[in-house]
Structure formats: C-alpha cells, structure tokens
Amino acid sequence: MAVATQGASSGINSQNTRTLLRVSILFLIAAAAVASRLFSVIRFESIIHEFDPWFNFRATKYLVANGFYKFWDWFDDRTWHPLGRVTGGTLYPGLMVTSGVIYHALRALTVPVDIRNICVLLAPAFSGLTAYAAYLLTNEMTTSSSAGLLAAAFMGITPGYISRSVAGSYDNEAIAIFLLVFTFYLWIKALKLGSMLWGALCALFYGYMVASWGGYAFITCLLPLHAFVLIGMGRFSDRLYVSYTTWYALGTLASMQIPFVGFLPVKTSEHMPALGIFGLVQLVGLLQYVRSSMSAKQFKTFVITVLVGAIGIGLAGLVGLTSLGYIAPWSGRFYSLWDTGYAKIHIPIIASVSEHQPTAWPAFFFDLNMLIWLFPAGVYLLFQDLRDEHVFVVVYALFGSYFAGVMVRLMLTLTPIVCVSAAIAASQILDTYLSAKKPNLEDVTDAGSTDAKPAKTSGLRVSSKPAVGIFTLVSKALVVGGMVVYLLMFVSHCTWVTSNAYSSPSVVLASRMPDGSQHIIDDYREAYQWLRQNTKEDAKIMSWWDYGYQIGGMADRPTLVDNNTWNNTHIATVGKAMSSSEEVSYPIMRQHEVDYVLVVFGGLLGYSGDDINKFLWMVRIAEGIWPEEVKERNFFTSRGEYRVDAEATDTMKNSLMYKMSYYNYHSLFPAGQTVDRVRGARLPDQGPVLNTIEEAYTTENWIIRIYKVKDLDNVGRDLAAAASFDRGQKKKASKKKGPRVLRVD
Amino acid sequence: TPWDKVLINLYNHYIDETPQRTKLLDVFLVFLAAVGALQFLYCVLAGNYPFNAFLSGFGATVGQFVLTISLRIQTTEANKSEFPQVSPERSFADFIVCSLILHFFCINFIN
C-alpha cells in the first residue's frame, strides 16, 4: 500500500501527468472556444450572418461545384451588372479553398456534410486552433508553464475575437487570426533558433495568410519593424539574418502567387519596409562579417562610408521611385490609418463604414474586460527581461494598440497580443503567490517571531526584516483568491457579451414580445425569397451597396453594386439614381437595365439601419462625382436639419429614395397619424407619387420594399404624363396653341 | 591610403581564415550575384515586359543567394555558439528544403 501511494503521489508531478493535464486543458479550452460561438446557431438557425460572408459563401459554393481551376478563373457576370467582376483575381481565396478542402476531406471520410454547415462552423473550428496558436506563442515568451494555458483560455473566449468569429460569420478573419498568431509563433521560433526551416514554415504560413486576408500587411510591416528595432538596439545576430532573409525571400515570392496581390510586394509603399529592412539586414550582415577582419579604426571608416552611402541611396531611391510613380503611394484605406481625417474628406465610401470609426474607451473594456488592464502590466513585465522575442511583443503591443485606437475593426489584431501579455502578467501573479516556497529562514535571526522583533539595527530597518510577508498562507490565499474571482468574472463577462452582443445574425431580427417570448422578424429573407421565385433569372436589382452580397447570395439575382466597393463611380451612379428625382433616375436605371429597385425601410418597425439613415452617404458619394447635379445642401432644410416630414425640402421629397420609402405608407395609419418610428417624424397625409416605377413587393413589416421599373410608354409619352393620365388627372386645359416642338425628319 | 589597407587586410583575412568548403559556397555566391546583376541589367536595358518572369528570375537568384549565405553562416565554425541546435548536416537539409520551396514558387510564378 505504502509503495502504491508513494508511486501515485510522485506520479502527480511526473512528466506524463503534466502532459496529460496540458492536453486535456487545451482540449477543454478548444471546446469552450467552439461552444461559446454557437449561441446564434442554437437560438436561430445555422445560417450565414452579415453581408460579406454571403459573398464568401457564394464563392465557396462555386468552388465546390466547379472545381479549383474554374474558381481561379471565375468571371462573375452577376455582380456589378454592366461591368462584371473578375472574381478569381479580386478575392483572397484562402477562406474558400480551406472550406473546400474540408468539404472534400469530409466526403472522402464518408461524412458528407453540407457546404453551408462547413462554412457556418468554420470560424468556431478555427478559433480552437487560434487558442492553440496563442498557447504556442506564449510559451515562446516565458518559461512559466501556466502562461501559455492562460493565454489559450483568454484567446478562446475573449469577445474581441469572438465578435468576428461566431458561427455563421464566414469572413476572412475567421481563419486569418489563427494564421496571424501562428505566423508570429513561427517567426519567433525561427528567430530564436536561427533556423532556415522555421523561417520557411513562417513564410509558408505567411503565404497562406496573404491568401486569406488583406490584413497580411500587418505582418509585412510588423516583422521588419521587429527586425529594425532589434538592429537599432544592437542586437543584430546571425540568427536574425537567417530567419529574416529566409522569411522575406520565400514569403514575398509566396505572396506574389496570389493573383489579387500580384506585383504589389514590389510596387506599393506598404511593402517597402520589408524590402528596406531586407537590404539593411544584408548590409549589417556584411559589416558584421567584415568587422572580424579589421582593426577598429579601419572598421569605423568602413562602416561610416558603407552605411551612410547605402542607406542614403536606398532612401533616395525610394523617394525617387515613389515620386516618379514606379512605387504606388499608400492606398487610401491604409493611409487613413495615419491621417485619421483623410477618409472623411476624400473617400466618403471608406468613412461611411461603421467599422472604420475610431474606438471609444468602453469598447476596449467591453471586448477585453480585465485583459485590458493586465495587458500593460504584461508588457512591462516583458520589459524587465527584454529578450529578442519580448521586443516583438512590445512592438506589436504598441502598434496594435495604435491601430485598434484608430479603427474599431482593428481591435481584432490587437486581441492576440493582449491575450498573450495579459496571460504573462496573470501567470506571473499566480506563480508568485501559488508556488513561491517559503525561503529558508536560517539566515534570519529568528524565524518564529519575525515581525515582532526589530532585530539588530545594522542598517535600514526594512533591510533587516526578512522578506517573508507574502509567504504567509493568508496573503497567498487572498491574492490567488482575488485572481480567481477576476478570472471567473472574466468568463462570465465573456459569455454574457458573446450571448447578448455578438450572436445575432443580422439577417433575421429578433425582438421580444411583452410576455418575453421571442419574435423573429424575417423580412430580409422574405424579400430575397420573393425575388428568387418571382422574377426572371437575370432580372437586375438595384440597391445600395450594403445589400449587394446578400441579394447575390440569397436572391441569386444580378446586382449593380455590392459590398466589394472596387468601383466608386458605379456606386456613385447608384447613389445618384437614389438621390435624384424620378426624371433623372429613370434614364439612369434604363441605361443600366435595372428591373427592380430594392430599398430598406425601417420606419414602421423602428429599424434604424435603413436606407433613409444611410441616405446622406449616398448623397455624399454621388456628390463626389457629380457635384453639379447632386448637392448635399439641398437635402437639409434652411435651418440645416435633415427632415423627412412635411418640412422636408423639395429635393428630399422628390428624391427617388424618399418616394420609394414612403410610398403608400400613409395608408397604414388613420389620417393625420402617419408616423415614422425611426426618425420620430409625423408624415403628411398625402404620400409621394411614383410615375416611373411601381411597387412590386413589400414585406410583412415593411422593412424591404421592392419596386419594378416600368417599361417605356407604348404611345411614346413620358412616364409622368402617362401616369397622370392613368390617374385620371386631366392635362391642364391648354389654350389651343400650335405645337411647340419642331419635328426633325 | 586607408581604403587600400582595408581591402588588402580583408583579402588576406579571407584567404587565410576561410575553409575550403566555405570558399566553394562563396564561388556559388559570386555566380549568383553575377546572374542577378545580369538579369537586372537586362531588365534595365530591355524593359521589364513580362514582369513576372523578371521577378521570378531575379527573386530566384536573390533568394538562393540569401539561403546560401544562411548556410554559410550556419556552417561556419565561429558561429557555432549562435546556433546550438543546428548541426551542419541539419542546416544543409534546411537549405535543400528551402531551396525547393523557393524554386517551386519561382517556377510557378514565371508561368
């Protein structure tokens, strides 16, 4: 018996038990990560959310149905109607290919799963991998065995990452964050070992990342920055040379394989830091080599000449090539990160996206809870023992914080490093208070009554006291208990946020009835289904660009513009059609062969994300192209108010958007009580009159209204005259005058 | 002049201190540099019309160059302490794997 118990107790700390614990903890973390992302699937159903994922889903279906090569050369003639989109060359194929591979792998294993379910559940599956990658990355940073597991747990459930990776959120970020963290892990590994193989692996995963998300530029800039800071700190080493050059040479070639990226790595400013540091690393490597064979004085001359010459030439070359136009300057999206006022003035289409706004403080606490205050502590702790890989965390933390402060969306890239450094701080606390052994007190005069005895006053009183305060059971229990409470609160916060804020599919709107039961408003799918079943296969739908992907995905009809905002003028055309009067819009719609116009109207239900609230952006974007014809000023009253009621300006009342939104709306209410519940405005009894389009469908809650564009009049009248004739309005009795128009034969 | 001294010093140091195998690598490096320079010159003179072809050719030489230097660094005795986990055989295997990846990308990119 005694032998057996001894064996068991020594087994508790043995390597095997630890490994078992580790593996099971990691599995539990992965399970928690997956489980916390399933709220929306359980509550609603397994569908794709939001807007962008609908395109990814559609592309994935195309890939699965037609094979890889067809997908690669896919010309999509059902978007951007007259133009079409060279889809194979304008998307990041990583996401689609990943789910395609999973789809076929599961089929090969005789588990035929619907492609929709793979797409819906891809993000939760990858979040488990992300947690594992965070574990690996953190283990590279610290020797503490708990930090990695903590980081994995944080990464698994923190809302900052869940917000973009719930089930159904089939977006590029779903796999990109895993690739980001894993690439960083491989980079750190390569740097530590100075191994070409790890560098090559890093480059391969970097290539995969490039194939998946436009945010790869973050890696492209962060790794050179890390290398640069290391060089600046005098920490250049052969390991840095090997890992950086291997990564750059292979990674750049790998990134150029993606058609959407193509020659960008040699032609745009975003990629120039990597190239510049590549050159600098060569130079410093050469100097390092030469140094061993020269006297100090000779070396000095050599260094100054070579370094100054080369850097000067490099910088001059960069400036020259940029100003000559060989190297493209920063793109607007990237530039607006530095000059935060730029987008609002010059590119309204970037500023119009709600994710591109600056982040408010509460968002940080909301998304990261206690991690946000452990984060700086972790960075500080890493400063204390500043190894090469810690420099990376510091650099990443600085840049990640800046970008996350400038743009809400980039909270996502900050989250991994917050998890890593918060885990380091938390594990430091736990290590200190859990496993710190009571020091041997023999050198202290009296171990029993330490604080009672002032001891011999040979110096400062503090130094003569033994440092045993934190070793008492009470202090340990107090601090560890506090930490545990915080950790538990973190879990409950994360679950609450995920459940309440981030798990609603924007396709179906949920509302609560007075008795607490749930009421689902499913107008979007109702309308799209109507379009799918009751219009001809190639009927062109005009709507604002937000709904382009959903129409393509759910209604399967060609659209004029969609969420891939590559052609600003085309979007402005739609904006002009929406914001002009019918006489102006009708020719535009005819020219673009529009059959149906779709508007989103939330006035009846109080759904605030409708097209009247987005209307000013349409006006602004149109004004950017046709400043003479569309003027934002005209949509405001003389007192500068944006109104929709009787006080609204004539331009507003005559605009197609206004007419489409409020057409027949007054018929729902008794006279004098027509109310728009979003704007809180009382509308006039007489609704707008439509001449060139007719109402085709309006959903149950009036959220989506679809109008059919009328054909030309048979008799050749203009449609306004024809419509007024149909309404029985007599033409104004004109005096018998001769015809005013000359006939031209 | 100081520059002559520097260069002579460098040359003597190189001849005396470098082992045979490393010199062999250096010949390869010189060759790669020459090929890269020729390609670049041709690109400057004749234009860069199939730009992907230029990039993959030039990228191949540059990539191979840095990989060879990495091999050279890792196999140099003096750098032993920097790479405790990389034996010369291991670094040669790494070199081969990386070169294969590099050439795969280049051949794919040259079309």
Side-chain angles (χ1 to χ4, degrees):
Chain A
M1 281 301 280
V3 177
T5 43
Q6 198 190 356
S9 68
S10 73
I12 285 192
N13 275 327
S14 76
Q15 201 61 40
N16 285 337
T17 325
R18 280 172 183 239
T19 313
L20 182 68
L21 269 178
R22 235 156 234 277
V23 171
S24 44
I25 289 174
L26 281 172
F27 266 104
L28 286 175
I29 287 173
V34 173
S36 64
R37 283 164 170 80
L38 299 181
F39 280 109
S40 60
V41 167
I42 290 165
R43 276 190 206 145
F44 303 99
E45 58 193 292
S46 166
I47 47 160
I48 308 285
H49 297 184
E50 300 288 337
F51 302 108
D52 284 11
W54 278 101
F55 168 73
N56 299 332
F57 178 49
R58 184 161 158 259
T60 313
K61 280 200 289 191
Y62 188 88
L63 167 70
V64 168
N66 295 295
F68 182 69
Y69 288 106
K70 280 252 179 70
F71 172 69
W72 203 251
D73 296 331
W74 181 23
F75 179 79
D76 185 3
D77 57 356
R78 292 176 78 78
T79 54
W80 295 94
H81 163 57
L83 309 168
R85 173 180 174 190
V86 190
T87 312
T90 54
L91 54 47
Y92 292 103
L95 183 72
M96 297 91 194
V97 173
T98 307
S99 30
V101 166
I102 294 174
Y103 175 77
H104 288 299
L106 286 177
R107 300 217 116 195
L109 295 171
T110 66
V111 191
V113 180
D114 182 15
I115 185 66
R116 173 176 56 84
N117 280 315
I118 291 175
C119 292
V120 166
L121 296 175
L122 189 77
F126 265 85
S127 70
L129 289 177
T130 314
Y132 182 61
Y135 167 77
L136 293 175
L137 180 64
T138 316
N139 276 352
E140 291 304 315
M141 299 294 167
T142 166
T143 52
S144 165
S145 49
S146 61
L149 292 172
L150 273 174
F154 290 161
M155 194 73 219
I157 58 171
T158 183
Y161 174 41
I162 286 188
S163 63
R164 306 303 303 252
S165 65
V166 288
S169 167
Y170 182 56
D171 216 340
N172 290 331
E173 290 92 330
I175 62 171
I177 298 302
F178 161 67
L179 294 171
L180 185 83
V181 180
F182 200 67
T183 308
F184 286 149
Y185 161 69
L186 292 171
W187 161 249
I188 295 297
K189 197 81 186 167
L191 180 67
K192 274 172 114 174
L193 297 178
S195 147
M196 276 186 268
L197 189 66
W198 285 97
L201 277 177
C202 178
L204 288 181
F205 270 85
Y206 169 72
Y208 189 9
M209 171 79 183
V210 174
S212 304
W213 193 36
Y216 75 89
F218 188 60
I219 303 185
T220 325
C221 294
L222 201 63
L223 299 194
L225 190 69
H226 181 211
F228 182 67
V229 171
L230 285 179
I231 294 171
M233 291 169 79
R235 290 183 177 210
F236 179 83
S237 63
D238 290 331
R239 283 175 289 115
L240 177 64
Y241 182 91
V242 172
S243 49
Y244 186 81
T245 54
T246 314
W247 167 74
Y248 183 74
L250 296 182
T252 308
L253 277 167
S255 67
M256 289 195 294
Q257 313 292 319
I258 309 302
F260 196 21
V261 177
F263 300 139
L264 293 186
V266 289
K267 285 201 151 167
T268 54
S269 300
E270 288 98 300
H271 299 79
M272 284 304 123
L275 181 61
I277 299 301
F278 182 70
L280 185 67
V281 165
Q282 307 295 334
L283 208 63
V284 179
L286 175 72
L287 293 179
Q288 198 87 332
Y289 173 72
V290 172
R291 182 182 213 160
S292 57
S293 61
M294 268 193 257
S295 67
K297 201 182 156 205
Q298 287 174 334
F299 183 65
K300 211 171 171 185
T301 10
F302 193 84
V303 166
I304 290 171
T305 341
V306 172
L307 212 58
V308 170
I311 292 180
I313 290 173
L315 282 181
L318 183 64
V319 172
L321 284 175
T322 310
S323 57
L324 285 177
Y326 287 107
I327 296 175
W330 280 336
S331 66
R333 274 162 209 272
F334 201 66
Y335 184 72
S336 60
L337 290 175
W338 304 106
D339 183 353
T340 47
Y342 179 79
K344 196 157 261 172
I345 301 168
H346 294 101
I347 329 170
I349 202 152
I350 293 181
S352 75
V353 180
S354 63
E355 286 176 332
H356 293 174
Q357 305 303 321
T359 319
W361 272 112
F364 283 100
F365 288 95
F366 192 69
D367 277 355
L368 302 166
N369 193 20
M370 72 170 208
L371 304 187
I372 195 64
W373 48 260
L374 280 175
F375 168 50
V379 173
Y380 172 74
L381 285 174
L382 291 179
F383 252 115
Q384 304 232 302
D385 145 46
L386 199 57
R387 282 184 278 141
D388 287 357
E389 59 269 23
H390 296 168
V391 175
F392 176 76
V393 177
V394 173
V395 170
Y396 185 176
L398 280 177
F399 270 72
S401 312
Y402 171 75
F403 289 132
V406 171
M407 210 186 258
V408 175
R409 188 183 175 182
L410 294 178
M411 182 78 93
L412 195 64
T413 52
L414 175 69
T415 307
I417 201 63
V418 169
C419 291
V420 168
S421 59
I424 289 170
S427 79
Q428 175 92 354
I429 296 174
L430 291 178
D431 286 352
T432 311
Y433 285 93
L434 265 182
S435 56
K437 293 278 181 300
K438 212 167 190 177
N440 197 2
L441 296 181
E442 279 166 2
D443 50 341
V444 184
T445 48
D446 188 3
S449 55
T450 38
D451 44 2
K453 209 170 175 184
K456 300 144 222 167
T457 47
S458 58
L460 284 173
R461 213 161 25 150
V462 177
S463 66
S464 63
K465 270 190 187 172
V468 292
I470 66 164
F471 298 102
T472 60
L473 200 64
V474 177
S475 60
K476 277 186 180 181
L478 214 61
V479 174
V480 172
M483 201 65 207
V484 168
V485 168
Y486 270 119
L487 288 171
L488 291 176
M489 276 167 59
F490 176 71
V491 173
S492 76
H493 174 87
C494 290
T495 317
W496 183 84
V497 167
T498 310
S499 158
N500 286 294
Y502 292 139
S503 295
S504 45
S506 59
V507 177
V508 292
L509 312 168
S511 69
R512 292 257 167 230
M513 293 309 231
D515 61 349
S517 65
Q518 195 176 42
H519 180 238
I520 301 271
I521 295 155
D522 206 359
D523 282 33
Y524 277 99
R525 287 193 294 179
E526 183 189 341
Y528 295 143
Q529 193 66 12
W530 183 86
L531 278 177
R532 197 186 185 96
Q533 292 178 340
N534 297 292
T535 61
K536 60 182 198 296
E537 189 78 353
D538 61 342
K540 281 86 188 171
I541 318 289
M542 182 173 89
S543 73
W544 189 233
W545 61 265
D546 294 16
Y547 315 105
Y549 279 163
Q550 287 191 343
I551 294 172
M554 284 193 257
D556 190 25
R557 290 291 173 268
T559 51
L560 257 69
V561 293
D562 65 27
N563 305 45
N564 170 273
T565 51
W566 63 277
N567 189 330
N568 193 25
T569 314
H570 209 47
I571 290 178
T573 307
V574 173
K576 185 183 170 192
M578 296 285 198
S579 56
S580 305
S581 63
E582 277 188 86
E583 294 80 53
V584 180
S585 306
Y586 186 68
I588 297 178
M589 294 193 286
R590 292 291 303 181
Q591 280 163 3
H592 291 86
E593 300 175 327
V594 175
D595 295 301
Y596 292 92
V597 189
L598 179 149
V599 290
V600 176
F601 173 66
L604 184 63
L605 219 61
Y607 170 62
S608 61
D610 69 350
D611 276 348
I612 295 282
N613 280 358
K614 289 174 186 165
F615 189 41
L616 282 179
W617 287 110
M618 304 182 201
V619 174
R620 277 174 207 146
I621 290 167
E623 190 179 9
I625 309 283
W626 295 280
E628 299 301 313
E629 296 170 60
V630 184
K631 291 197 179 71
E632 190 183 349
R633 184 68 197 82
N634 292 342
F635 291 86
F636 294 109
T637 61
S638 56
R639 290 168 59 198
E641 291 166 321
Y642 178 61
R643 307 185 70 138
V644 293
D645 52 11
E647 317 264 291
T649 59
D650 284 343
T651 320
M652 181 74 191
K653 280 180 176 166
N654 286 326
S655 68
L656 191 66
M657 174 59 70
Y658 182 89
K659 284 184 170 181
M660 286 193 296
S661 292
Y662 293 110
Y663 183 66
N664 265 347
Y665 185 56
H666 60 93
S667 67
L668 286 179
F669 301 87
Q673 294 184 22
T674 315
V675 173
D676 179 331
R677 287 176 59 186
V678 175
R679 265 70 54 178
R682 184 171 295 257
L683 297 168
D685 281 339
Q686 205 51 49
V689 175
L690 285 171
N691 295 325
T692 58
I693 55 180
E694 57 195 355
E695 186 173 357
Y697 191 74
T698 296
T699 56
E700 187 188 352
N701 300 297
W702 287 59
I703 288 188
I704 301 214
R705 314 198 65 186
I706 300 170
Y707 292 86
K708 185 170 177 24
V709 179
K710 280 187 193 167
D711 216 340
L712 290 175
D713 186 52
N714 280 339
V715 204
R717 299 167 293 180
D718 72 77
L719 285 170
S724 75
F725 180 79
D726 286 346
R727 278 191 294 271
Q729 291 167 350
K730 264 193 177 172
K731 251 186 156 180
K732 271 176 202 153
S734 54
K735 290 164 217 159
K736 293 261 190 246
K737 270 187 181 172
R740 296 224 184 116
V741 187
L742 285 178
R743 212 168 62 192
V744 183
D745 288 315
Chain B
T1 62
W3 269 104
D4 285 346
K5 248 188 206 163
V6 168
L7 292 179
I8 288 168
N9 200 344
L10 209 59
Y11 178 75
N12 289 335
H13 177 80
Y14 179 77
I15 294 294
D16 298 339
E17 304 281 319
T18 316
Q20 187 63 35
R21 279 192 199 172
T22 311
K23 277 183 185 158
L24 214 58
L25 280 183
D26 289 340
V27 174
F28 185 45
L29 285 175
V30 170
F31 166 73
L32 284 172
V35 172
L38 268 179
Q39 289 186 38
F40 191 75
L41 196 69
Y42 183 78
C43 173
V44 170
L45 290 179
N48 62 5
Y49 162 57
F51 194 45
N52 59 328
F54 165 70
L55 276 184
S56 45
F58 192 66
T61 50
V62 172
Q64 197 63 62
F65 186 83
V66 295
L67 288 177
T68 314
I69 289 195
S70 299
L71 177 67
R72 188 188 190 282
I73 289 174
Q74 292 187 342
T75 49
T76 304
E77 273 310 302
N79 296 332
K80 254 284 159 27
S81 59
E82 281 237 36
F83 302 97
Q85 296 190 22
V86 184
S87 66
E89 291 79 12
R90 165 71 194 266
S91 73
F92 189 63
D94 283 2
F95 174 74
I96 287 176
V97 172
C98 292
S99 303
L100 283 177
I101 297 173
L102 177 79
H103 281 87
F104 169 76
F105 282 142
C106 288
I107 291 167
N108 190 34
F109 196 57
I110 206 168
N111 259 329

